[in-house]
Amino acid sequence: LTDIVPPERRRQMMAGIHSENTAPEVAVRQWLYRNGFRYRLHVCTLPGTPDIVISRRRVIVLVHGCFWHRHSGCRLAYTPKSNCDFWLSKFAANVKRDRSEVRLLQSTGWRVVLVWECEVRDGSFGDRLRKELCQNE
Ligand SMILES: [Zn+2]
C-alpha cells in the first residue's frame, strides 16, 4: 500500500477521499462500453457523485475497493496491524457513508449495483453485471 502509489493518490487514500478513475473502475467502464452499455461518469448532481450512471436503465454502478469499503469476508479487506483505532474509525466512517449514499440513491428511484475490486480482478463481475442490467428486458 505504500511505494507503488503515486503521492497524490496516496494522499487521497490516506484521507479516505473518494477517488476517481481507479484501475477497477476503468476496467468496469471498458467492459460496459464493449458490451454496448452507455454511461455517464461521476455525476455530481447525484448523491455521492456516483462513478458510473446508466440513465437509460436507471442503474448506478459503484465500483468499490475491497479494503476501503470493507468487502465482508474478502481477503483484501484486511485490517492493518498498527494504528488499529485509526483504521477502524476510518473504515466505520466509510461504511456509514456508503450506506447513506446507497439509501439516498435508492430513495430517488435508482437501482444500485455494487461491483467489488476482487470481482474485477478475477473477472467474475461481468456475468453478474449483465444480469443486473438486463433485468427488465
Ligand atoms: Zn472483495
Side-chain angles (χ1 to χ4, degrees):
L1 199 70
T2 46
D3 299 321
I4 54 164
V5 179
E8 172 61 12
R9 169 99 178 97
R10 178 159 176 76
R11 200 182 58 75
Q12 288 183 339
M13 287 169 70
M14 290 306 289
I17 296 170
H18 178 84
S19 49
E20 300 182 349
N21 302 315
T22 60
E25 186 189 324
V26 170
V28 171
R29 272 147 55 177
Q30 286 170 343
W31 183 92
L32 287 167
Y33 189 83
R34 269 202 318 275
N35 287 276
F37 299 107
R38 294 298 175 256
Y39 51 80
R40 287 185 299 149
L41 294 177
H42 311 300
V43 178
C44 59
T45 51
L46 288 169
T49 310
D51 303 329
I52 298 171
V53 176
I54 303 168
S55 308
R56 226 164 62 82
R57 289 161 197 267
R58 202 100 183 130
V59 168
I60 281 165
V61 180
L62 301 178
V63 183
H64 276 181
C66 298
F67 179 74
W68 286 104
H69 296 271
R70 307 319 281 167
H71 189 196
S72 84
C74 176
R75 68 186 167 80
L76 300 176
Y78 62 92
T79 300
K81 296 271 182 280
S82 57
N83 289 322
C84 252
D85 290 347
F86 166 82
W87 290 109
L88 290 176
S89 72
K90 188 162 282 303
F91 291 150
N94 285 353
V95 168
K96 195 174 162 200
R97 193 185 50 213
D98 287 343
R99 281 206 194 112
S100 75
E101 279 174 17
V102 168
R103 260 201 305 271
L104 268 170
L105 291 165
Q106 287 171 336
S107 72
T108 52
W110 291 90
R111 201 144 52 82
V112 179
V113 180
L114 294 183
V115 173
W116 292 98
E117 172 188 6
C118 60
E119 296 178 287
V120 176
R121 288 194 189 188
D122 71 15
S124 66
F125 74 97
D127 287 346
R128 191 166 66 79
L129 196 50
R130 187 191 309 277
K131 277 191 201 106
E132 296 275 5
L133 289 169
C134 298
Q135 214 176 64
N136 301 322
E137 286 181 355

